[in-house]
């Protein structure tokens, strides 16, 4: 293996507290003991050179403060330190007789699994795979503290562009974010967000999915479900309701979850990008924060559930910008006053990259929706890095479909119960597209949480 030092230089340096988004990721790192990362690998065109890769690497690291940031570990919360210049390493990995694509995959796994040295290592690991003297693949993995999925999307858009043609960065970078978050306007926003959180904590049922099926250590399974019918149905519903597809999907998820026996009103913790806030749209940084989405879907129609979801989603988005340390204080205080903790273990992460406005076109017929539903694909996966929560749902948008990736705690969900939830989203979406006056099928008795998809007396239902 060859290690090529790549010098970089960029504008802006200094030491500031972590931003609110960075604190959230750091808390996750502390809880898990694992570095949180994101990235990928691509095949390179013939003739690509090490010099070209080094130029790209130097340009993006110099351009974005987030990639020139290391931590200063203290007895309390770490600080972020941004440097103007330094050297980042570009690795050259020779495939030898092995398959180059497999070597690239192994390199990505190594970059992702080996913990970062937060105080000494830059938050980017980049490598090139070489086979028979020619470069075949590029691999890049970034520490999640440096950017979220939206920031990664911005960065990917720059990687294929001649660095000399890129305009100056105008988005708010991490040092400025930290300074702004100490100002009165941001602190007022944080206080309002925490009032909303406190209201939710005082009104919601404490449990989501009880009782447990067994008391051993938790195990987790993950299912991936690709649904062309959901894509057609959600677009039709959103066009009719005059909303984006985001609340439509959340309404369908809430109804499916409550039908499967989860507590109603349904509580899900949304991952909110915050990129709608001024100066954040194109920021290569971590600005995602979690906000509670609460919706009562009992004794209403599916159309009414969509309308409620639109309001609830807006509340969650509006109140997703806050100081996580102050949030911890609110949570601890309310839990102490209630005498019991609220279960936050239902997470929803809409990662779709495309415009979430509905596509144009005619509404699908019942036959078209049935044909699309017949093309759904579901399969179980075993991914070491899957979220360790009772339920965690990712939403993506491959061509012509909506894809759901859901991981669950097997103490609460059987295999059948897991599929009931994820396939239920499609069922609800199709029904709502055909007849929004259809009742949700959730009654007020759902306010008492029940076991989701569990045969508690036998303990059956392990993953296939």
């Amino acid at each position: 293996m060859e290690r090529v030092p790549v010098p970089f230089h960029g504008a802006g340096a200094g030491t500031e507290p972590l931003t609110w988004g960075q604190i959230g990721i750091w808390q996750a790192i502390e809880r898990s003991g694992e570095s949180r990362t994101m990235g990928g690998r691509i095949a390179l065109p013939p003739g690509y050179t090490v010099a070209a890769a080094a130029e790209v690497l130097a340009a993006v690291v110099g351009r974005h403060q987030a990639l020139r940031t290391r931590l200063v570990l203290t007895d309390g919360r770490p600080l972020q330190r941004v440097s103007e210049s330094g050297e980042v390493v570009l690795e050259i990995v020779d495939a030898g007789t092995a398959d180059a694509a497999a070597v690239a995959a192994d390199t990505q796994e190594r970059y992702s699994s080996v913990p970062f040295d937060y105080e000494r290592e830059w938050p980017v690991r980049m490598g090139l795979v070489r086979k028979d003297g020619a470069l075949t693949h590029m691999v890049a993995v970034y520490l999640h503290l440096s950017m979220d999925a939206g920031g990664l999307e911005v960065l990917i858009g720059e990687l294929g562009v001649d660095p000399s043609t890129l305009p100056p960065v105008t988005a708010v970078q991490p040092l400025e974010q930290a300074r702004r978050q100490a100002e009165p306007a941001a602190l007022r926003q944080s206080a309002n967000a925490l009032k909303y959180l406190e209201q939710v904590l005082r009104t919601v049922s404490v449990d989501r999915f009880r009782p447990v099926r067994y008391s051993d250590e938790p195990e987790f399974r993950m299912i991936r479900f690709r649904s062309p019918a959901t894509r057609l149905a959600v677009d039709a519903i959103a066009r009719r309701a005059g909303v984006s597809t985001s609340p439509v999907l959340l309404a369908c998820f809430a109804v499916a979850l409550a039908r499967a026996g989860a507590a109603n009103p349904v509580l899900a913790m949304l991952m909110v990008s915050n990129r709608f806030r001024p100066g954040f749209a194109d920021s290569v940084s971590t600005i995602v924060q979690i906000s509670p989405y609460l919706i009562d879907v009992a004794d209403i129609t599916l159309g009414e559930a969509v309308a409620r979801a639109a309001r609830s989603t807006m509340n969650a988005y509006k109140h997703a910008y806050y100081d996580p340390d102050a949030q911890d204080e609110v949570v601890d205080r309310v839990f102490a006053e209630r005498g019991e903790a609220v279960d936050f273990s239902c997470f929803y992460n809409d990662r779709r990259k495309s415009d979430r406005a509905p596509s144009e076109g005619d509404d699908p017929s019942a036959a078209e929706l049935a044909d699309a539903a017949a093309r759904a694909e579901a399969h179980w996966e075993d991914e070491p890095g899957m979220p360790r929560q009772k339920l965690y749902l990712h939403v993506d948008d491959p061509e012509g479909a909506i894809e759901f990736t859901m991981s669950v705690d097997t103490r609460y969900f059987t295999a059948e119960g897991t599929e009931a939830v994820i396939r239920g989203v499609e069922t609800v979406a199709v029904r709502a597209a055909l007849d929004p006056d259809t009742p949700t099928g959730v009654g007020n008795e759902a306010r008492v949480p029940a076991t989701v998809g569990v045969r508690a007396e036998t303990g059956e239902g392990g993953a296939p």
Side-chain angles (χ1 to χ4, degrees), residues 328-378:
D328 289 346
E329 294 174 4
V330 170
V331 170
D332 290 344
R333 175 170 52 81
V334 174
F335 286 5
E337 292 173 3
R338 289 193 63 165
E340 52 189 351
V342 173
D343 183 355
F344 285 129
S345 58
C346 179
F347 288 81
Y348 181 100
N349 185 15
D350 190 340
R351 304 186 296 192
R352 291 177 297 156
K353 296 180 176 62
S354 63
D355 185 356
R356 296 181 187 181
S359 63
E360 297 180 358
D362 297 329
D363 289 350
S365 66
E368 289 171 327
L369 287 169
D371 177 70
R375 291 184 277 112
E377 301 174 8

Side-chain angles (χ1 to χ4, degrees), residues 34 36 109 113 220 222 381-388 407:
E34 300 173 351
R36 300 299 179 95
E109 172 62 25
S113 60
F220 299 89
M222 187 169 74
E381 297 186 356
D382 182 14
E383 182 179 299
M386 75 176 77
R388 263 57 177 172
S407 60

Side-chain angles (χ1 to χ4, degrees), residues 77-357:
R77 184 72 68 206
L79 303 174
Q80 58 168 319
R81 176 175 291 163
V82 177
S83 299
E84 283 190 343
S85 60
E87 285 185 350
V88 65
V89 171
L90 176 64
E91 284 191 347
I92 315 298
V93 182
D94 279 300
T97 59
D99 177 72
V103 172
D106 290 343
T107 301
Q108 182 180 343
E109 172 62 25
R110 173 168 59 87
Y111 285 175
S112 301
S113 60
V114 175
F116 275 72
D117 183 340
Y118 306 109
E119 292 186 283
R120 298 172 183 82
E121 184 179 0
W122 303 110
V124 53
R125 292 169 173 171
M126 184 175 287
L128 302 171
V129 176
R130 185 165 54 198
K131 175 79 172 180
D132 298 330
L135 299 178
T136 61
H137 294 80
M138 177 184 288
V139 182
V141 168
Y142 306 92
L143 184 62
H144 203 348
L145 273 169
S146 65
M147 70 185 77
D148 54 29
L152 179 60
E153 187 175 356
V154 173
L155 188 66
I156 289 173
E158 295 180 356
L159 290 176
V161 178
D162 180 350
S164 65
T165 66
L166 289 171
V169 174
T170 57
V172 181
Q173 299 207 64
L175 290 178
E176 180 62 22
Q177 287 179 29
R179 288 189 283 264
R180 290 188 183 187
Q181 287 168 354
E183 295 176 352
L187 294 177
R188 286 193 297 271
Q189 168 66 45
S190 176
N192 288 334
L194 297 181
K195 286 179 183 178
Y196 165 71
L197 172 65
E198 181 169 351
Q199 180 182 14
V200 171
L201 293 179
R202 292 191 183 281
T203 58
V204 72
S205 165
V206 296
D207 293 308
R208 309 264 64 75
F209 311 119
R210 70 177 187 184
V212 297
R213 297 167 56 220
Y214 58 86
S215 59
D216 296 340
E217 288 297 315
E219 296 179 1
F220 299 89
R221 65 163 66 93
M222 187 169 74
I223 189 171
R224 192 178 300 274
F225 180 60
R226 182 170 294 200
S227 173
T230 300
R231 180 64 177 266
L232 292 175
V234 164
D235 280 349
I237 298 164
R239 284 194 298 266
R240 182 173 59 226
V243 297
S244 84
T245 57
S246 295
V248 177
L249 277 168
L250 274 162
C252 295
F253 170 64
V255 172
L257 198 57
R259 282 182 176 182
N264 183 73
V266 174
L267 172 67
M269 305 305 294
L270 303 192
M271 310 296 288
V272 180
S273 76
N274 278 316
R275 291 185 177 273
F276 56 88
R277 299 184 183 279
F280 284 175
D282 297 322
S283 180
V284 175
S285 61
T286 299
I287 51 181
V288 167
Q289 292 193 258
I290 299 171
S291 185
Y293 161 85
L294 184 65
I295 180 172
D296 188 343
V297 295
D299 298 326
I300 59 174
T301 67
L302 296 177
E304 289 169 331
V306 170
R308 286 188 183 183
R311 294 190 294 271
S312 184
T313 303
M314 185 60 66
N315 266 336
Y317 289 173
K318 180 181 177 181
H319 295 107
Y321 193 55
Y322 55 83
D323 178 351
D325 290 328
Q327 180 201 53
D328 289 346
E329 294 174 4
V330 170
V331 170
D332 290 344
R333 175 170 52 81
V334 174
F335 286 5
E337 292 173 3
R338 289 193 63 165
E340 52 189 351
V342 173
D343 183 355
F344 285 129
S345 58
C346 179
F347 288 81
Y348 181 100
N349 185 15
D350 190 340
R351 304 186 296 192
R352 291 177 297 156
K353 296 180 176 62
S354 63
D355 185 356
R356 296 181 187 181

